[in-house]
Amino acid sequence: MDSHKQLFSLLCLPLMLLFLSGEMGLQVEGSLHSGYPSKKLFVFGDSYVDTGNTRKDVGPWMQPYGITFPGKPTGRFSDGLILTDFLAKYLGLKSPLPYQFRNVIPTDSKYGMNFAFGGTGVFNTSSSYPNMTTQIDFFTQLIQEKVYTASDLSNAVALVSVAGNDYYHFMSMVNDPSSHNLKDPLKPCCAGISSGYSCGSVDEHNVKKYTVCENTKTSFFWDLYHPTQAGWDAVYNNLQNTSALRQLRY
């Protein structure tokens, strides 16, 4: 993928923060102000916010994903933490439990839940994973099952990632990468050795068919589409300068 196509991918990353009010009352508050600290984080969308909902035999569950943190693949499309994790920490929460593990670690549902699946969109895509409409259906089902109550939702935040519009905070990384110690904002850290391979590819003999940069902290992109932990950290730091994010704590 050439730099122009990568730049286009930067323009397809709008991230929205919403407050949840009542049973499935998804609404955007102009000031993003709830009157008290948020206690739960619910995540909907695609690979930019997915923390482990994809099958364990695909990319983000394979080496070298997760090499920066925690040192092994965790289902995140990055070398480490992503924006979901940074936002959860900002809210004083543990990163929300991926939906597919809801019955494995049920106690962690108290922090919220991540319904995002890599490769999906608002409507059907080439991916077989649940799109956002289905993700919201999953959420509704949990409410009906009393996993979450109206009281829970009145004190919660939703992070929604969908493709299709301009995203200022990513563009600021491209326009001024040096301010975040990023040497090349468009060159991926991990890439296949040829067009037939991608980050994490191996051949039939399990021989690696990808290369990884020496220092992930100086690359914005991890693979052709997704930021490194350092890239997400730069975006998060940029978001911290906005009044909307600061008000989420109050």
Side-chain angles (χ1 to χ4, degrees):
M1 177 176 288
D2 59 34
S3 61
H4 291 90
K5 290 183 179 179
Q6 285 188 316
L7 184 58
F8 176 77
S9 72
L10 287 176
L11 301 176
C12 299
L13 300 173
L15 297 168
M16 299 180 290
L17 294 172
L18 305 92
F19 275 101
L20 304 182
S21 177
E23 292 196 6
M24 280 310 295
L26 286 172
Q27 62 183 50
V28 179
E29 297 287 348
S31 65
L32 290 179
H33 182 72
S34 65
Y36 31 73
S38 300
K39 298 298 184 182
K40 289 178 174 57
L41 175 62
F42 296 100
V43 184
F44 304 87
D46 49 29
S47 58
Y48 295 108
V49 291
D50 182 1
T51 55
N53 277 320
T54 54
R55 298 193 322 269
K56 288 194 173 183
D57 59 347
V58 296
W61 286 103
M62 301 171 65
Q63 296 288 351
Y65 286 81
I67 61 170
T68 298
F69 181 86
K72 62 181 181 180
T74 61
R76 289 167 172 78
F77 289 76
S78 183
D79 63 309
L81 301 176
I82 62 175
L83 186 61
T84 303
D85 304 300
F86 286 109
L87 180 59
K89 182 178 180 180
Y90 181 83
L91 296 172
L93 301 172
K94 184 176 180 180
S95 196
L97 181 72
Y99 177 74
Q100 74 160 333
F101 298 128
R102 65 194 182 283
N103 295 322
V104 180
I105 320 174
T107 56
D108 278 6
S109 63
K110 64 184 178 181
Y111 304 108
M113 194 162 292
N114 191 330
F115 299 91
F117 283 80
T120 63
V122 176
F123 304 107
N124 290 332
T125 64
S126 58
S127 171
S128 61
Y129 291 120
N131 62 22
M132 194 173 299
T133 301
T134 304
Q135 293 171 28
I136 293 174
D137 288 341
F138 291 158
F139 183 36
T140 303
Q141 182 63 36
L142 293 182
I143 295 172
Q144 293 172 347
E145 294 172 357
K146 307 299 182 183
V147 175
Y148 297 110
T149 66
S151 177
D152 290 328
L153 303 188
S154 68
N155 196 22
V157 172
L159 172 62
V160 182
S161 172
V162 292
N165 296 298
D166 189 5
Y167 187 33
Y168 165 78
H169 301 289
F170 272 78
M171 289 308 299
S172 70
M173 304 302 109
V174 175
N175 294 330
D176 189 20
S178 61
S179 65
H180 300 279
N181 297 316
L182 302 173
K183 293 182 178 179
D184 191 339
L186 292 180
K187 184 178 180 180
C189 174
C190 181
I193 61 174
S194 66
S195 60
Y197 299 102
S198 59
C199 180
S201 291
V202 295
D203 64 15
E204 63 273 18
H205 303 294
N206 206 36
V207 175
K208 296 178 182 178
K209 294 297 179 179
Y210 61 87
T211 59
V212 179
C213 64
E214 292 184 2
N215 187 358
T216 61
K217 293 181 179 180
T218 61
S219 295
F220 179 81
F221 273 104
W222 165 243
D223 56 21
L224 288 173
Y225 303 101
H226 307 96
T228 57
Q229 176 174 299
W232 279 122
D233 186 37
V235 171
Y236 167 69
N237 286 331
N238 208 48
L239 285 170
Q240 281 190 295
N241 295 324
T242 65
S243 60
L245 189 60
R246 289 195 299 269
Q247 290 176 10
L248 289 177
R249 282 181 168 174
Y250 303 104

